[in-house]
Amino acid sequence: MPDGSGIMSEESNEGEADVELEARLAEQEAFEPPESFVEQANVTDEGIYEEFEENWPECWEQAADLLSWEEEYDAVLNDEDAPFYEWFTDGKLNASSNCLDRHVENGAKNRAAIKWEGEMGETRTYTYGELLNEVEAFAAGLRDIGVEEDDVVTLYLPMIPELPIAMLACARIGAPHSVVFAGFSADALAMRMNAADSEYLITCDGYYRRGDALNHKEKADKGLRSVDQDVTSVVVDRLGEELTHFLGNDARDYDELVAEHEGASVEPVTRDAEDMLFLMYTSGTTGEPKGVKHTTGGYLAYTAWTSQAVLDLVPEDTYWCSADIGWITGHSYIVYGPLALGTTTVMYEGTPDYPERDRLWEIIEKNRVDVFYTAPTAIRAFMKWGSDYPEQHDLSSLRLLGTVGEPINPRAWKWYYKHIGDEECPIVDTWWQTETGGMMITTLPAINTMKPGSAGPPLPGVSATVVDAAGEEIEAGEAGYVTVDKPWPGMLRTLYENDDRFIEEYWTEYSDEAADEWVYFPEDGAKIDDDGYITILGRVDDVINVSGHRLGTMEIESAIVGVSGVAEAAVVGGDHDVKGEAVYAYVILEDGQEPTDDMRDRIVAAVEDAIGPIARPEEVLFTPELPKTRSGKIMRRLLEDIASGNELGDTSTLRNPEIVEEIADQIDSE
Ligand code: 6R9
């Protein structure tokens, strides 16, 4: 398993101030929540841990109470058919009305809901009133093109306001959305649309990346050619003159559709708490991405509650999560959690270094952002660029910082704490997954001591522990596996139309079916200390985490073996000082094939076509053989060590030990 404990090689061009910081902070292993923060925090009573434990599962009524229910639920939890748990059973609500209508009715009509920053400097602000109007108009438009309750609508959109608008419009009419990250390839789009039998696609002509206009529509059209069912699409005109806005046969223009339904009043459809809110495809051990199903009541209650307890959000806050809405972090903590609380949420279209490397700090200063949530990979990049960039800006509006997506090494944590938070903002290092819906392991910012590199204790009401291979709790300091032995409201309910795989993937390893004891296995390695703080060590399955993005090695391997001339491939993650992990591809060619640059280019292109540029291999290494055990299993651990430049472990159990040195030499010589 990759070592997330922070022992990564880091070069940096930091100046003298950082040398000082180094000296002062390097030794410090624990940080107390700053007094100024504690005084105003949402959750300050440490009794909450005991209270939730004693009162479980009723404690989760606190989360449900943050929502407006059309009909009260009968029971907090129904575990009769575990692990197919149900939360807030028979409760009725609508997610879009919880994120919009009730705030408008409660006097927040003119408060900003979304503040959007385009990469090229444009801005758009939607008040809660305006957002509701556009959501209603688009919801009417969706009905117009034929969308009915329970139809899955695929949203293949970049970071433009139409994405959350489309999500909320879907939620309004009870049509689950399936957002496909805009950076994914045409093939990845087609695979997800086919898997979800989705007959509707909302996409756009293009968008900006580092000042260049990218043609997104071409990719969407290419994907559609591989979709089995007939699809009706709506296309957002993002680029205007920059790109001619072709509409295919069935495609409708977003602006026209919204204009036609301007002023429409669309009653939010009453949804059962357990009705599907959305699907999100994520990588797993096998080649086929998993369609994680989230439902309306538990998910929305959980994201609202964690936004309040962990991100400390109040309606008056301007809050910014720099993730992409195409991933779960954006769903839960750009859209649903913050909007359910009536907060102002900031959205940024572009990259952190465009036009300059201070873009994020400029956005924070300009919008007076109170709470900022980002990924360790971004922090490591900022650290490399140096503290001059944040120093050019007034970041004093910040009250709380957060990280998510991968382990954060203590040096990056301390840099964030000092240079962005000015030692006055607590940092929450939040561990969770697409499947968990919301945060699971993190400190509560006004209550717990922070220990850089360690996410912290499980949240109140979350029963996570670290166990050994046999499921026994491990000693402090030893490495084991994270498990969760009680359900929680934000959990996935199943994998789309695949209950068997749901059980197999998450509930087999540590559960005792005969005893009806169900333990969720997230496939992460971890350590625990004497205070119950959990340090996540990284995935223990064939998933690699590149810049906080989950990629399945099998998906990448199957793209590579599809290249003509390739016989076999093994893909692993190797340590990378900014991305956390990077993709390393070990490739065996067919007899007579040469390891040329052209072959390497074709391999890289195949991976980009199958998944997208995020999966692009850092290195393609040609080898005559792969290290295999006597029983013929590829020793991935060794390939990871070679990629990471680690000392190589025991090779004596290999059938072909000599190959290891041969591959390692190849890396050294590059
Ligand atoms: C929210 C999200 C989930 C995987 C997860 C773990 C890693 C997430 C982390 C973390 C260490 C943290 N991960 N947060 N590792 N510390 N604070 O990222 O969901 O894309 O499904 O990835 O990310 O390995 O299993 P997802």
Side-chain angles (χ1 to χ4, degrees):
M1 87 186 74
D3 179 5
S5 61
I7 313 155
M8 292 173 198
S9 61
E10 285 164 0
E11 335 144 18
S12 82
N13 54 6
E14 293 160 45
E16 271 171 49
D18 296 297
V19 176
E20 222 175 276
L21 158 79
E22 200 84 342
R24 190 155 49 87
L25 297 183
E27 298 300 306
Q28 193 173 340
E29 285 174 358
F31 294 76
E32 294 307 320
E35 202 48 48
S36 55
F37 179 85
V38 176
E39 278 164 9
Q40 58 76 58
N42 285 339
V43 179
T44 52
D45 180 2
E46 59 184 300
I48 187 170
Y49 287 96
E50 219 178 284
E51 179 198 325
F52 269 54
E53 195 171 335
E54 281 171 7
N55 197 22
W56 193 94
E58 279 72 28
C59 56
W60 288 117
E61 285 180 14
Q62 279 196 24
D65 286 348
L66 294 173
L67 306 181
S68 299
W69 297 81
E70 285 165 42
E71 271 175 48
E72 273 304 306
Y73 46 88
D74 295 333
V76 173
L77 171 68
N78 172 2
D79 59 5
E80 266 164 39
D81 191 22
F84 298 95
Y85 296 97
E86 292 181 351
W87 285 88
F88 311 121
T89 49
D90 294 329
K92 309 273 186 242
L93 76 167
N94 180 285
S96 103
S97 105
N98 268 280
C99 291
L100 300 169
D101 306 53
R102 61 177 181 148
H103 305 314
V104 171
E105 284 153 22
N106 293 337
K109 185 171 173 222
N110 297 322
R111 185 190 302 144
I114 295 176
K115 281 189 166 182
W116 176 79
E117 296 270 342
E119 197 186 64
M120 306 299 276
E122 313 128 87
T123 58
R124 270 197 255 167
T125 298
Y126 290 81
T127 62
Y128 272 95
E130 289 163 347
L131 190 60
L132 174 58
N133 287 343
E134 186 148 337
V135 165
E136 284 191 274
F138 191 53
L142 286 174
R143 281 202 174 135
D144 194 357
I145 64 166
V147 179
E148 289 178 11
E149 191 173 352
D150 295 321
D151 287 344
V152 176
V153 179
T154 301
L155 311 180
Y156 187 42
L157 286 168
M159 287 292 282
I160 54 177
E162 287 80 1
L163 175 50
I165 289 167
M167 291 163 76
L168 293 166
C170 286
R172 195 163 194 88
I173 60 173
H177 52 74
S178 167
V179 178
V180 177
F181 173 57
F184 275 138
S185 67
D187 288 355
L189 169 69
M191 191 251 110
R192 285 158 177 75
M193 290 194 73
N194 284 329
D197 301 314
S198 176
E199 295 175 351
Y200 300 94
L201 172 69
I202 319 300
T203 186
C204 70
D205 54 350
Y207 56 104
Y208 293 104
R209 252 313 161 275
R210 295 205 167 82
D212 294 332
L214 301 189
N215 188 335
H216 190 61
K217 181 70 177 8
E218 200 172 48
K219 232 171 34 164
D221 286 344
K222 185 171 170 227
L224 282 180
R225 289 198 283 276
S226 311
V227 175
D228 305 331
Q229 59 276 18
D230 286 337
V231 174
T232 306
S233 344
V234 177
V235 182
V236 177
D237 185 358
R238 161 73 189 109
L239 293 179
E241 301 282 288
E242 191 93 45
L243 193 78
T244 318
H245 182 59
F246 291 116
L247 296 173
N249 287 345
D250 281 325
R252 300 286 298 266
D253 177 84
Y254 175 92
D255 291 324
E256 278 174 21
L257 196 58
V258 165
E260 272 169 38
H261 297 280
E262 184 77 59
S265 159
V266 176
E267 276 300 298
V269 167
T270 301
R271 297 286 277 172
D272 190 275
E274 284 298 315
D275 279 342
M276 171 157 55
L277 180 60
F278 66 88
L279 276 178
M280 165 121 266
Y281 282 86
T282 189
S283 295
T285 303
T286 68
E288 181 124 335
K290 307 185 272 199
V292 170
K293 174 180 161 180
H294 282 291
T295 57
T296 311
Y299 172 82
L300 198 62
Y302 197 70
T303 52
W305 187 83
T306 46
S307 295
Q308 189 185 59
V310 182
L311 296 173
D312 196 50
L313 296 184
V314 292
E316 295 71 30
D317 279 337
T318 298
Y319 155 76
W320 183 20
C321 165
S322 72
D324 192 293
I325 294 176
W327 309 105
I328 192 70
T329 302
H331 277 55
S332 301
Y333 299 110
I334 296 177
V335 183
Y336 286 111
L339 294 181
L341 295 180
T343 303
T344 300
T345 186
V346 175
M347 254 182 98
Y348 172 49
E349 178 184 38
T351 46
D353 55 353
Y354 191 85
E356 296 295 335
R357 290 171 163 182
D358 66 342
R359 185 63 191 271
L360 302 197
W361 321 127
E362 179 196 88
I363 293 173
I364 290 178
E365 177 173 21
K366 190 175 116 195
N367 293 287
R368 306 292 300 154
V369 169
D370 298 280
V371 176
F372 180 58
Y373 191 33
T374 193
T377 182
I379 298 167
R380 288 192 295 266
F382 305 148
M383 208 165 120
K384 269 200 143 172
W385 298 341
S387 52
D388 288 354
Y389 294 103
E391 269 158 27
Q392 290 161 24
H393 295 276
D394 175 6
L395 305 180
S396 62
S397 58
L398 290 171
R399 171 174 97 241
L400 173 71
L401 301 172
T403 77
V404 57
E406 39 166 344
I408 182 162
N409 43 312
R411 263 196 73 205
W413 192 101
K414 289 174 186 178
W415 188 92
Y416 193 35
Y417 187 70
K418 164 84 178 124
H419 293 291
I420 308 305
D422 198 23
E423 301 181 65
E424 284 184 0
C425 303
I427 295 177
V428 284
D429 171 359
T430 60
W431 176 88
W432 58 290
Q433 307 181 296
T434 303
E435 292 86 344
T436 69
M439 301 159 178
M440 300 287 280
I441 300 175
T442 170
T443 51
L444 283 171
I447 295 178
N448 308 111
T449 303
M450 295 166 270
K451 301 186 191 180
S454 174
L459 279 173
V462 171
S463 192
T465 42
V466 183
V467 300
D468 64 17
E472 301 297 325
E473 285 203 18
I474 55 156
E475 307 250 327
E478 311 260 302
Y481 307 92
V482 183
T483 53
V484 188
D485 61 14
K486 279 184 189 158
W488 64 99
M491 68 199 300
L492 80 165
R493 297 304 194 262
T494 190
L495 293 176
Y496 188 61
E497 293 186 344
N498 204 340
D499 290 347
D500 291 344
R501 189 166 174 206
F502 169 68
I503 301 272
E504 214 172 282
E505 295 263 0
Y506 307 106
W507 304 96
T508 303
E509 207 87 20
Y510 290 103
S511 300
D512 182 349
E513 194 177 340
D516 201 25
E517 280 170 15
W518 298 95
V519 178
Y520 173 79
F521 181 45
E523 308 256 12
D524 266 318
K527 292 190 298 194
I528 190 160
D529 73 7
D530 289 326
D531 300 324
Y533 276 51
I534 295 175
T535 296
I536 304 293
L537 299 172
R539 302 284 304 194
V540 295
D541 57 0
D542 295 330
V543 168
I544 53 185
N545 191 329
V546 178
S547 300
H549 301 148
R550 251 168 92 165
L551 301 172
T553 52
M554 288 276 290
E555 289 167 65
I556 304 174
E557 283 167 11
S558 73
I560 296 176
V561 296
V563 173
S564 93
V566 171
E568 198 180 351
V571 166
V572 300
D575 292 349
H576 187 280
D577 61 352
V578 172
K579 299 177 184 171
E581 283 186 273
V583 175
Y584 282 80
Y586 297 85
V587 176
I588 301 177
L589 296 177
E590 284 170 358
D591 284 348
Q593 295 287 336
E594 291 299 319
T596 56
D597 286 345
D598 173 60
M599 177 61 88
R600 192 173 265 117
D601 292 347
R602 282 196 284 136
I603 288 170
V604 171
V607 173
E608 292 195 1
D609 279 350
I611 300 156
I614 46 165
R616 181 190 293 140
E618 187 80 9
E619 298 239 27
V620 176
L621 295 146
F622 295 106
T623 168
E625 281 173 58
L626 291 167
K628 288 192 176 161
T629 60
R630 293 207 166 83
S631 61
K633 273 190 150 180
I634 299 173
M635 281 277 272
R636 290 173 171 278
R637 179 74 238 215
L638 273 171
L639 296 175
E640 283 168 18
D641 285 340
I642 296 173
S644 305
N646 295 342
E647 199 156 313
L648 301 177
D650 182 18
T651 55
S652 62
T653 57
L654 292 182
R655 196 164 56 185
N656 51 352
E658 66 293 340
I659 198 67
V660 175
E661 291 298 328
E662 206 172 300
I663 305 174
D665 287 348
Q666 207 189 126
I667 282 219
D668 289 343
S669 66
E670 279 184 12

PDB file of all heavy atoms in Angstrom, residues 134-150:
ATOM      1  N   GLU A 134     -34.159  30.040 -12.320  1.00  0.00           N
ATOM      2  CA  GLU A 134     -33.536  29.336 -13.442  1.00  0.00           C
ATOM      3  C   GLU A 134     -33.690  27.817 -13.296  1.00  0.00           C
ATOM      4  O   GLU A 134     -33.879  27.104 -14.281  1.00  0.00           O
ATOM      5  CB  GLU A 134     -32.063  29.727 -13.618  1.00  0.00           C
ATOM      6  CG  GLU A 134     -31.496  29.099 -14.887  1.00  0.00           C
ATOM      7  CD  GLU A 134     -30.420  29.898 -15.599  1.00  0.00           C
ATOM      8  OE1 GLU A 134     -30.352  31.134 -15.415  1.00  0.00           O
ATOM      9  OE2 GLU A 134     -29.645  29.270 -16.346  1.00  0.00           O
ATOM     10  N   VAL A 135     -33.625  27.338 -12.061  1.00  0.00           N
ATOM     11  CA  VAL A 135     -33.834  25.900 -11.839  1.00  0.00           C
ATOM     12  C   VAL A 135     -35.248  25.508 -12.264  1.00  0.00           C
ATOM     13  O   VAL A 135     -35.453  24.480 -12.927  1.00  0.00           O
ATOM     14  CB  VAL A 135     -33.543  25.522 -10.363  1.00  0.00           C
ATOM     15  CG1 VAL A 135     -34.087  24.141 -10.033  1.00  0.00           C
ATOM     16  CG2 VAL A 135     -32.043  25.581 -10.085  1.00  0.00           C
ATOM     17  N   GLU A 136     -36.213  26.340 -11.923  1.00  0.00           N
ATOM     18  CA  GLU A 136     -37.599  26.012 -12.316  1.00  0.00           C
ATOM     19  C   GLU A 136     -37.755  26.037 -13.835  1.00  0.00           C
ATOM     20  O   GLU A 136     -38.386  25.160 -14.423  1.00  0.00           O
ATOM     21  CB  GLU A 136     -38.582  26.987 -11.670  1.00  0.00           C
ATOM     22  CG  GLU A 136     -38.781  26.674 -10.202  1.00  0.00           C
ATOM     23  CD  GLU A 136     -39.944  27.438  -9.599  1.00  0.00           C
ATOM     24  OE1 GLU A 136     -39.725  28.576  -9.165  1.00  0.00           O
ATOM     25  OE2 GLU A 136     -41.066  26.887  -9.568  1.00  0.00           O
ATOM     26  N   ALA A 137     -37.162  27.054 -14.469  1.00  0.00           N
ATOM     27  CA  ALA A 137     -37.279  27.149 -15.926  1.00  0.00           C
ATOM     28  C   ALA A 137     -36.630  25.930 -16.584  1.00  0.00           C
ATOM     29  O   ALA A 137     -37.187  25.329 -17.512  1.00  0.00           O
ATOM     30  CB  ALA A 137     -36.634  28.438 -16.424  1.00  0.00           C
ATOM     31  N   PHE A 138     -35.445  25.536 -16.074  1.00  0.00           N
ATOM     32  CA  PHE A 138     -34.786  24.392 -16.708  1.00  0.00           C
ATOM     33  C   PHE A 138     -35.506  23.086 -16.376  1.00  0.00           C
ATOM     34  O   PHE A 138     -35.563  22.171 -17.203  1.00  0.00           O
ATOM     35  CB  PHE A 138     -33.299  24.332 -16.333  1.00  0.00           C
ATOM     36  CG  PHE A 138     -32.551  23.327 -17.165  1.00  0.00           C
ATOM     37  CD1 PHE A 138     -32.609  23.372 -18.558  1.00  0.00           C
ATOM     38  CD2 PHE A 138     -31.817  22.310 -16.573  1.00  0.00           C
ATOM     39  CE1 PHE A 138     -31.954  22.428 -19.343  1.00  0.00           C
ATOM     40  CE2 PHE A 138     -31.147  21.357 -17.353  1.00  0.00           C
ATOM     41  CZ  PHE A 138     -31.221  21.421 -18.739  1.00  0.00           C
ATOM     42  N   ALA A 139     -36.059  23.008 -15.171  1.00  0.00           N
ATOM     43  CA  ALA A 139     -36.841  21.813 -14.815  1.00  0.00           C
ATOM     44  C   ALA A 139     -38.016  21.672 -15.791  1.00  0.00           C
ATOM     45  O   ALA A 139     -38.311  20.563 -16.272  1.00  0.00           O
ATOM     46  CB  ALA A 139     -37.330  21.916 -13.375  1.00  0.00           C
ATOM     47  N   ALA A 140     -38.663  22.796 -16.098  1.00  0.00           N
ATOM     48  CA  ALA A 140     -39.768  22.757 -17.069  1.00  0.00           C
ATOM     49  C   ALA A 140     -39.233  22.340 -18.437  1.00  0.00           C
ATOM     50  O   ALA A 140     -39.866  21.565 -19.168  1.00  0.00           O
ATOM     51  CB  ALA A 140     -40.444  24.120 -17.150  1.00  0.00           C
ATOM     52  N   GLY A 141     -38.026  22.832 -18.773  1.00  0.00           N
ATOM     53  CA  GLY A 141     -37.398  22.467 -20.039  1.00  0.00           C
ATOM     54  C   GLY A 141     -37.092  20.974 -20.102  1.00  0.00           C
ATOM     55  O   GLY A 141     -37.300  20.319 -21.133  1.00  0.00           O
ATOM     56  N   LEU A 142     -36.618  20.431 -19.005  1.00  0.00           N
ATOM     57  CA  LEU A 142     -36.318  18.991 -18.968  1.00  0.00           C
ATOM     58  C   LEU A 142     -37.591  18.188 -19.227  1.00  0.00           C
ATOM     59  O   LEU A 142     -37.590  17.208 -19.981  1.00  0.00           O
ATOM     60  CB  LEU A 142     -35.718  18.602 -17.618  1.00  0.00           C
ATOM     61  CG  LEU A 142     -34.261  19.015 -17.353  1.00  0.00           C
ATOM     62  CD1 LEU A 142     -33.865  18.696 -15.908  1.00  0.00           C
ATOM     63  CD2 LEU A 142     -33.302  18.297 -18.316  1.00  0.00           C
ATOM     64  N   ARG A 143     -38.670  18.621 -18.613  1.00  0.00           N
ATOM     65  CA  ARG A 143     -39.949  17.911 -18.842  1.00  0.00           C
ATOM     66  C   ARG A 143     -40.350  18.021 -20.309  1.00  0.00           C
ATOM     67  O   ARG A 143     -40.837  17.056 -20.901  1.00  0.00           O
ATOM     68  CB  ARG A 143     -41.031  18.512 -17.957  1.00  0.00           C
ATOM     69  CG  ARG A 143     -40.928  18.003 -16.541  1.00  0.00           C
ATOM     70  CD  ARG A 143     -42.266  18.156 -15.837  1.00  0.00           C
ATOM     71  NE  ARG A 143     -42.199  17.547 -14.523  1.00  0.00           N
ATOM     72  CZ  ARG A 143     -42.669  18.118 -13.427  1.00  0.00           C
ATOM     73  NH1 ARG A 143     -43.256  19.308 -13.479  1.00  0.00           N
ATOM     74  NH2 ARG A 143     -42.585  17.487 -12.282  1.00  0.00           N
ATOM     75  N   ASP A 144     -40.090  19.195 -20.849  1.00  0.00           N
ATOM     76  CA  ASP A 144     -40.433  19.456 -22.244  1.00  0.00           C
ATOM     77  C   ASP A 144     -39.710  18.483 -23.192  1.00  0.00           C
ATOM     78  O   ASP A 144     -40.280  18.011 -24.178  1.00  0.00           O
ATOM     79  CB  ASP A 144     -40.021  20.909 -22.541  1.00  0.00           C
ATOM     80  CG  ASP A 144     -40.617  21.423 -23.828  1.00  0.00           C
ATOM     81  OD1 ASP A 144     -41.287  20.638 -24.499  1.00  0.00           O
ATOM     82  OD2 ASP A 144     -40.395  22.603 -24.145  1.00  0.00           O
ATOM     83  N   ILE A 145     -38.468  18.178 -22.890  1.00  0.00           N
ATOM     84  CA  ILE A 145     -37.752  17.246 -23.779  1.00  0.00           C
ATOM     85  C   ILE A 145     -38.071  15.790 -23.434  1.00  0.00           C
ATOM     86  O   ILE A 145     -37.502  14.867 -24.016  1.00  0.00           O
ATOM     87  CB  ILE A 145     -36.221  17.480 -23.779  1.00  0.00           C
ATOM     88  CG1 ILE A 145     -35.597  17.217 -22.399  1.00  0.00           C
ATOM     89  CG2 ILE A 145     -35.873  18.885 -24.278  1.00  0.00           C
ATOM     90  CD1 ILE A 145     -34.079  17.098 -22.421  1.00  0.00           C
ATOM     91  N   GLY A 146     -38.936  15.582 -22.460  1.00  0.00           N
ATOM     92  CA  GLY A 146     -39.410  14.224 -22.198  1.00  0.00           C
ATOM     93  C   GLY A 146     -38.951  13.581 -20.908  1.00  0.00           C
ATOM     94  O   GLY A 146     -39.302  12.435 -20.623  1.00  0.00           O
ATOM     95  N   VAL A 147     -38.158  14.286 -20.107  1.00  0.00           N
ATOM     96  CA  VAL A 147     -37.647  13.663 -18.877  1.00  0.00           C
ATOM     97  C   VAL A 147     -38.791  13.448 -17.887  1.00  0.00           C
ATOM     98  O   VAL A 147     -39.571  14.358 -17.622  1.00  0.00           O
ATOM     99  CB  VAL A 147     -36.559  14.548 -18.216  1.00  0.00           C
ATOM    100  CG1 VAL A 147     -36.051  13.891 -16.929  1.00  0.00           C
ATOM    101  CG2 VAL A 147     -35.414  14.809 -19.185  1.00  0.00           C
ATOM    102  N   GLU A 148     -38.870  12.245 -17.372  1.00  0.00           N
ATOM    103  CA  GLU A 148     -39.889  11.928 -16.363  1.00  0.00           C
ATOM    104  C   GLU A 148     -39.218  11.529 -15.066  1.00  0.00           C
ATOM    105  O   GLU A 148     -38.022  11.245 -15.044  1.00  0.00           O
ATOM    106  CB  GLU A 148     -40.761  10.769 -16.862  1.00  0.00           C
ATOM    107  CG  GLU A 148     -41.655  11.204 -18.001  1.00  0.00           C
ATOM    108  CD  GLU A 148     -42.496  10.063 -18.550  1.00  0.00           C
ATOM    109  OE1 GLU A 148     -42.539   8.987 -17.901  1.00  0.00           O
ATOM    110  OE2 GLU A 148     -43.097  10.258 -19.617  1.00  0.00           O
ATOM    111  N   GLU A 149     -40.004  11.508 -14.013  1.00  0.00           N
ATOM    112  CA  GLU A 149     -39.491  11.100 -12.713  1.00  0.00           C
ATOM    113  C   GLU A 149     -38.777   9.746 -12.849  1.00  0.00           C
ATOM    114  O   GLU A 149     -39.258   8.865 -13.560  1.00  0.00           O
ATOM    115  CB  GLU A 149     -40.641  10.995 -11.698  1.00  0.00           C
ATOM    116  CG  GLU A 149     -40.141  10.844 -10.275  1.00  0.00           C
ATOM    117  CD  GLU A 149     -41.262  10.914  -9.228  1.00  0.00           C
ATOM    118  OE1 GLU A 149     -42.407  11.222  -9.583  1.00  0.00           O
ATOM    119  OE2 GLU A 149     -40.955  10.650  -8.046  1.00  0.00           O
ATOM    120  N   ASP A 150     -37.632   9.625 -12.193  1.00  0.00           N
ATOM    121  CA  ASP A 150     -36.801   8.411 -12.167  1.00  0.00           C
ATOM    122  C   ASP A 150     -35.979   8.149 -13.436  1.00  0.00           C
ATOM    123  O   ASP A 150     -35.223   7.182 -13.481  1.00  0.00           O
ATOM    124  CB  ASP A 150     -37.621   7.155 -11.810  1.00  0.00           C
ATOM    125  CG  ASP A 150     -38.159   7.236 -10.388  1.00  0.00           C
ATOM    126  OD1 ASP A 150     -37.415   7.719  -9.512  1.00  0.00           O
ATOM    127  OD2 ASP A 150     -39.321   6.850 -10.154  1.00  0.00           O
TER     128      ASP A 150
END
